[in-house]
Amino acid sequence: MSSTSYGIGLAGCGTVGTGVIRALHRNGALIQQRSGSEMQLEVKRILVRDLDKSRHETVAPALLTTDWQSLVDDPEIAIVVELIGGTGLAYDIVARALTLGKPVVTGNKALLAERGTELFALSKIHNTPIHFEAAVAGGIPIIKTVQEAFIGNRIKAMCGIINGTSNYILQRMSEARLDFATALQEAQSLGYAEADPTLDVNGWDAAHKAILLATLAYGFPISPTEIHVVGIEQVKPIDIDFAKQLGYVVKLLAVIREHDDDAIELRLQPSFVSKSHILASVNGVFNAVAVNGDGVGESLFYGRGAGEDPTASAVVADLVEAARSLAHELPHRGFLPWGKQGRLLPIEETSTAYYVRFDVTDRPGVVAEIATVLAEHRIGISGTHSPVNPENPDAAFVDMVFLLHSCPFGLLQKALQKIAHLDCVNSAPVVFRIEQL
Ligand code: HSE
């Protein structure tokens, strides 16, 4: 290792990797002054898949390699930055770096949500930190907030919008009336969506982030198989329109909440949020996380949740932290998980109000038939909505919306199963939660 710089091995030179190189290029001297360090942060090797791909001018071709092991093992490399994504090779890179005592900076939420327990155990054994601010909400320092700034609080709830791509798509579908595919293409061309946007739109990118936040706040390992995740792929313009008419907007929302018996509610789905709630105004690629701590009360964190520069901003901050840990031989901070056993609230026991849209064959008694089943299950109706088509007021097939009072999701499912057997109901009902935030 040089005596004037910490060598960085950058695994991955896509959108965020390029952003890190550019940020260090642009602000390197300033970062060094502000961090009060004698040592520079210097990218010394870059792992890529394709040596011949054209890259930004700040990416020096001489630093490129396709050999991950030689990058991690290089004695000139003091800190390893993992930005390749996925849970296979990324795991090998991070595990190898930790084993060699090299601090890791990663933006890989899937890796930490799926295999964090193994990696944090390695981190502990080798007394070497993993920093992952870039893994959740891009440029918003939400990891440091939960882990450090709010360490004196019992976290009662965290609710938020933590996938910029979905948020962008929902907004464009709502405002510009684009279809899902066109809005997704726009998000990709702006660099918000992952190279493979599947996890962005099926909810799992946000779910991985929610798992990390919940694990930080509540300290027990949460398996992705245990949580309830619904993405935005099935959101239809008709429901966005009904939401608008009823005073709501549709947002892909992460809800994490501690219940009185210590059970943790953790769910991720497109929900109706009142137009007047501050989260309803979070648009485009922006993310926002509302954190409620028993001491601090309600706080809101807002900023760009995806894209080259905001995410690189979080990586660079972690690089400074990693350099500090090397300079001062800071001990490992055990945090993920810290050992407490915890319990997730089964999704059937989580309660909210609901919007339910039925596709029905209209005839006298339809509303009463549906309402009867709801009443049998002791589910209250707060409103109904069924706009008449002025050009065809006698239409045989109509969309009929029921707004329901809060009840456990499991109870609603039971009622809907029974309603599905009514011969006036033509297809599976569409359900959105109405959040009371
Ligand atoms: N593609 C993600 C998003 C950013 O749209 O929020 C990285 O998780």
Side-chain angles (χ1 to χ4, degrees):
M1 193 178 8
S2 135
S3 56
T4 55
S5 68
Y6 288 119
I8 297 167
L10 185 61
C13 196
T15 306
V16 181
T18 305
V20 171
I21 295 170
R22 292 180 60 204
L24 292 175
H25 197 257
R26 190 172 69 238
N27 290 342
L30 179 65
I31 294 165
Q32 199 185 348
Q33 284 161 0
R34 290 180 67 198
S35 63
S37 170
E38 302 289 305
M39 303 281 274
Q40 274 180 349
L41 294 166
E42 188 182 349
V43 176
K44 291 209 166 152
R45 295 190 78 179
I46 305 169
L47 179 71
V48 293
R49 266 195 216 107
D50 177 3
L51 291 172
D52 298 325
K53 191 176 155 187
S54 86
R55 299 178 191 280
H56 190 267
E57 63 200 25
T58 49
V59 180
L63 303 184
L64 302 183
T65 176
T66 55
D67 177 357
W68 72 268
Q69 204 150 354
S70 75
L71 175 143
V72 178
D73 289 8
D74 186 339
E76 287 286 306
I77 300 299
I79 304 168
V80 173
V81 179
E82 183 279 305
L83 296 171
I84 62 168
T87 57
L89 177 59
Y91 178 91
D92 296 336
I93 291 172
V94 172
R96 176 82 186 155
L98 294 172
T99 307
L100 294 173
K102 299 185 181 188
V104 170
V105 175
T106 178
N108 190 334
K109 48 248 132 200
L111 177 66
L112 297 181
E114 308 249 348
R115 306 189 68 181
T117 307
E118 300 159 75
L119 288 173
F120 284 102
L122 271 181
S123 161
K124 189 164 189 180
I125 293 167
H126 296 284
N127 201 27
T128 303
I130 306 175
H131 301 274
F132 54 101
E133 187 62 71
V136 182
I140 305 175
I142 193 68
I143 299 292
K144 282 192 184 66
T145 298
V146 177
Q147 208 174 358
E148 295 174 20
F150 286 2
I151 198 163
N153 287 259
R154 189 174 185 101
I155 305 287
K156 298 197 314 196
M158 286 183 277
C159 298
I161 295 164
I162 49 178
N163 183 268
T165 302
S166 299
N167 202 45
Y168 181 85
I169 291 172
L170 289 174
Q171 186 201 350
R172 298 291 289 154
M173 285 175 74
S174 172
E175 286 183 4
R177 301 184 74 84
L178 297 184
D179 60 32
F180 175 82
T182 312
L184 172 60
Q185 257 171 16
E186 271 192 16
Q188 282 179 299
S189 66
L190 291 165
Y192 302 153
E194 302 294 310
D196 172 0
T198 310
L199 300 184
D200 285 312
V201 297
N202 71 9
W204 274 99
D205 173 84
H208 287 142
K209 294 169 181 170
I211 287 174
L212 294 181
L213 289 177
T215 309
L216 282 178
Y218 301 110
F220 65 94
I222 297 169
S223 161
T225 57
E226 291 175 294
I227 68 167
H228 183 76
V229 178
V230 182
I232 63 163
E233 295 146 305
Q234 305 305 326
V235 176
K236 301 270 183 313
I238 182 174
D239 297 304
I240 292 182
D241 284 348
F242 278 143
K244 263 191 204 168
Q245 291 167 28
L246 295 164
Y248 297 100
V249 290
V250 179
K251 293 288 182 196
L252 184 71
L253 214 65
V255 175
I256 304 165
R257 193 175 283 135
E258 187 181 46
H259 286 250
D260 289 344
D261 58 358
D262 283 348
I264 304 303
E265 175 176 353
L266 171 49
R267 54 189 170 81
L268 194 293
Q269 69 285 294
S271 285
F272 279 25
V273 174
S274 165
K275 260 182 203 162
S276 63
H277 192 277
I278 197 160
L279 287 179
S281 313
V282 175
N283 281 320
V285 72
F286 279 83
N287 283 193
V289 186
V291 185
N292 191 322
D294 64 350
V296 73
E298 193 76 37
S299 306
L300 183 71
F301 298 84
Y302 171 80
R304 286 189 165 77
E308 176 174 326
D309 291 337
T311 314
S313 158
V315 172
V316 170
D318 275 354
L319 278 170
V320 171
E321 279 289 295
R324 282 198 179 120
S325 74
L326 286 173
H328 303 292
E329 293 186 10
L330 295 178
H332 166 83
R333 291 181 308 174
F335 44 75
L336 240 187
W338 67 73
K340 181 182 144 191
Q341 291 301 308
R343 179 173 89 89
L344 282 182
L345 192 67
I347 194 67
E348 294 74 21
E349 293 174 32
T350 62
S351 291
T352 54
Y354 303 93
Y355 158 105
V356 186
R357 175 169 59 82
F358 299 98
D359 167 11
V360 299
T361 304
D362 202 9
R363 55 172 165 70
V366 161
V367 173
E369 284 179 52
I370 294 174
T372 301
V373 180
L374 292 169
E376 281 165 12
H377 289 79
R378 317 236 22 97
I379 298 174
I381 300 168
S382 57
T384 55
H385 183 69
S386 185
V388 174
N389 177 354
E391 279 152 33
N392 185 10
D394 285 329
F397 304 105
V398 295
D399 285 298
M400 201 160 274
V401 169
F402 281 67
L403 302 173
L404 305 179
H405 285 297
S406 280
C407 74
F409 187 60
L411 185 63
L412 176 70
Q413 283 177 313
K414 276 190 193 144
L416 293 182
Q417 272 162 17
K418 194 153 180 211
I419 290 171
H421 288 112
L422 299 176
D423 59 9
C424 58
V425 173
N426 298 321
S427 55
V430 173
V431 179
F432 284 83
R433 288 176 183 262
I434 302 176
E435 304 285 351
Q436 278 147 324
L437 298 168

